[in-house]
Amino acid sequence: MIAYGLSGAMTRLEREGPIFLGLVGIGQMGRALLTQTLHLPGFRPKVLVDHRPERAKKILLEAGFSPLDLVETSSPQQAQAALEAGKTVLSEDDSLPAQVGMVDVVVDATGSPEAGGRIALQAIQEGKHIVSLNVESDVVAGPLLTRMARQAGVVYTGSAGDEPGAVMELYDFALSMGVTPLVIGKGKNNPLNYSSNPDTAAEAAARHQMNPRMLASFQDGTKTMVEMTAMANATGFLPDCPGAHGPAGGVNDLLRLYRTRQEGGILEHYGVVEYVNGVAPGVFLIYTTPHQELRQELAYLSQGEGPHYLLYRPYHLTSLETPRTILRAVLYGEGSILPAAGAPYADTVAVAKRDLKAGETLDGIGGYTAYGTILTRTEAKACNAFPMGLASPGVKVLRDIPQGTILTWDMVQPDEDSVLLKLRRQQDALEARGSL
């Protein structure tokens, strides 16, 4: 089999020196990525971190690793010595991969906003590329982390395969053809249920072998809002309305739905990020061109009569596409998706999932107390909205808040020990000065 492009690069790396990975989080996506990179040429998953390291150990042993090849430690010095001896390190300390000199890239697959901010910050400070599958953290402080990584000469990036990364491939494809993107978006594969929580999601989560909090974050819309926020911050496209429209429809409905109201559609304007209840796990982009020659060519190529056309990708393969992002970071110093200059353009803000009482605490994404919705950054600043990614356990509610209310900074007492909170405050200060 002949390899070229990124696959050819993997073959060269296998001969000349593979990429040493530090992987934090061996949950659903981390398990798949670990198994995959164990067998891909050019990669060595060498420092593996999870709060249950036995999960990583089980995968490694099933893949044929000898227990003698595994070293469990949280010491950077011992980990470095283990790697030099050709061994693999297991740990519960998520700061370890950044501190081990032989690690080239740190991959965050935790899904925890707070852990994501801490892991990314330390990787950048230690001069490591950071590939984040943690969109929940990125939408809180991604613009700042991008700025810090650029100054440090490393790459901070989201991953190919996640829906924002898949949308960015369509976006780059469209721009490289010289056409004009109008709408970018993703599908949603379950009905929106703002009150979903780990209890109501438990039965379906068990059937799908999922964490019920994760499934609840899909059902209550938070995950979709976070992903759209990442798309917005990478492109400058904005939600057309708070929470976006989210109509029901299939692929054949997209061009009809996503027109302006004057044209018979649902939009107030173009340059928007959206989601549709349907077409999941796909992503889409609607574009146009003013050039008659291009329209004639598109008609010849069975793309329709225009003036609007659809790019549609019917899949996104989550962490299975992450090796492509790792390669681009190491080989070319590029990311798959990262906040653009001038970001943030949008925010995912916290909304009370039920009536909240003064004195109780929030419980994070996919929990019982709040869900996230997307606002433009201008709207979020105008109402002093509190980011959903900061609505973590330990954040105290200061007064009674009715169900459906957008939480504001003055309604809660943030967790002052939070690294992500410190990053967000630093980002907000830079944004206010126009320095991001």
Side-chain angles (χ1 to χ4, degrees):
M1 187 177 298
I2 298 172
Y4 66 99
L6 290 179
S7 60
M10 291 192 301
T11 302
R12 291 194 304 275
L13 286 167
E14 184 67 23
R15 291 194 310 264
E16 299 168 5
I19 298 169
F20 277 30
L21 299 180
L23 174 60
V24 186
I26 317 294
Q28 182 176 356
M29 289 194 293
R31 291 198 306 269
L33 181 60
L34 173 56
T35 301
Q36 182 184 26
T37 52
L38 282 171
H39 302 287
L40 273 178
F43 291 90
R44 297 290 188 275
K46 298 300 287 185
V47 181
L48 310 175
V49 178
D50 195 84
H51 66 280
R52 288 164 50 192
E54 64 271 15
R55 290 197 292 192
K57 183 184 292 187
K58 182 175 183 289
I59 293 169
L60 288 169
L61 296 180
E62 288 175 348
F65 268 65
S66 166
L68 298 177
D69 291 331
L70 304 179
V71 174
E72 296 190 54
T73 182
S74 292
S75 163
Q77 294 77 22
Q78 291 178 7
Q80 177 74 14
L83 265 58
E84 290 173 353
K87 298 184 183 298
T88 296
V89 172
L90 301 180
S91 180
E92 297 183 57
D93 183 357
D94 63 26
S95 71
L96 183 63
Q99 299 179 73
V100 178
M102 291 179 68
V103 169
D104 300 300
V105 181
V106 177
V107 180
D108 170 20
T110 64
S112 162
E114 176 61 21
R118 185 174 62 247
I119 293 163
L121 177 62
Q122 185 153 27
I124 292 167
Q125 289 174 335
E126 297 291 341
K128 311 287 187 185
H129 299 305
I130 172 73
V131 175
S132 177
L133 283 74
N134 195 335
V135 190
E136 296 83 354
S137 176
D138 177 78
V139 299
V140 177
L144 173 64
L145 291 168
T146 300
R147 180 179 187 268
M148 295 172 69
R150 188 167 55 245
Q151 292 173 340
V154 297
V155 174
Y156 165 84
T157 178
S159 178
D162 217 352
E163 284 151 301
V167 163
M168 287 305 295
E169 291 186 3
L170 296 183
Y171 185 76
D172 180 61
F173 183 79
L175 292 180
S176 66
M177 286 196 300
V179 299
T180 303
L182 300 173
V183 182
I184 56 176
K186 54 154 286 178
K188 190 177 188 306
N189 63 0
N190 41 53
L192 189 62
N193 176 12
Y194 292 127
S195 62
S196 178
N197 61 52
D199 291 339
T200 63
E203 182 179 345
R207 286 200 308 271
H208 296 290
Q209 296 183 329
M210 291 179 66
N211 183 314
R213 289 184 70 98
M214 179 180 289
L215 182 56
S217 75
F218 293 152
Q219 293 176 343
D220 70 16
T222 301
K223 186 69 171 180
T224 291
M225 300 296 145
V226 163
E227 290 166 339
M228 288 195 298
T229 299
M231 297 174 199
N233 287 341
T235 63
F237 279 35
L238 300 175
D240 194 51
C241 60
H245 292 284
V251 175
N252 294 332
D253 299 312
L254 296 175
L255 288 175
R256 173 182 58 83
L257 288 167
Y258 291 122
R259 296 178 178 270
T260 63
R261 294 188 186 278
Q262 294 88 339
E263 297 166 326
I266 63 174
L267 301 178
E268 294 296 330
H269 56 81
Y270 291 118
V272 302
V273 59
E274 262 291 335
Y275 76 101
V276 62
N277 283 288
V279 311
V283 296
F284 64 90
L285 180 147
I286 295 169
Y287 68 97
T288 190
T289 175
H291 303 296
Q292 189 59 35
E293 285 292 336
L294 298 187
R295 290 184 180 183
Q296 290 175 356
E297 186 70 6
L298 287 164
Y300 171 73
L301 295 169
S302 302
Q303 297 303 297
E305 298 300 322
H308 296 170
Y309 308 89
L310 177 69
L311 294 175
Y312 171 62
R313 178 177 163 176
Y315 61 89
H316 69 282
L317 302 183
T318 60
S319 60
L320 298 183
E321 300 185 48
T322 300
R324 297 171 54 235
T325 298
I326 296 168
L327 288 166
R328 288 181 64 182
V330 172
L331 298 175
Y332 310 123
E334 298 175 352
S336 292
I337 177 169
L338 59 156
Y345 296 100
D347 250 335
T348 299
V349 304
V351 182
K353 190 175 280 190
R354 56 171 174 77
D355 290 344
L356 302 177
K357 297 298 183 183
E360 67 177 303
T361 57
L362 303 180
D363 59 354
I365 291 174
Y368 299 86
T369 58
Y371 65 87
T373 196
I374 187 173
L375 300 179
T376 69
R377 180 66 183 133
T378 300
E379 292 167 340
K381 287 191 291 186
C383 67
N384 199 31
F386 188 68
M388 182 64 207
L390 295 178
S392 56
V395 175
K396 185 177 180 180
V397 176
L398 297 179
R399 60 175 184 263
D400 292 353
I401 304 172
Q403 180 182 15
T405 302
I406 292 176
L407 275 61
T408 59
W409 283 90
D410 58 329
M411 292 179 182
V412 298
Q413 181 178 307
D415 177 6
E416 295 297 333
D417 293 328
S418 165
V419 171
L420 191 59
L421 174 65
K422 294 179 175 66
L423 290 171
R424 179 55 183 247
R425 284 176 171 163
Q426 185 179 348
Q427 176 177 292
D428 288 349
L430 288 169
E431 179 189 11
R433 298 200 298 269
S435 301
L436 275 175

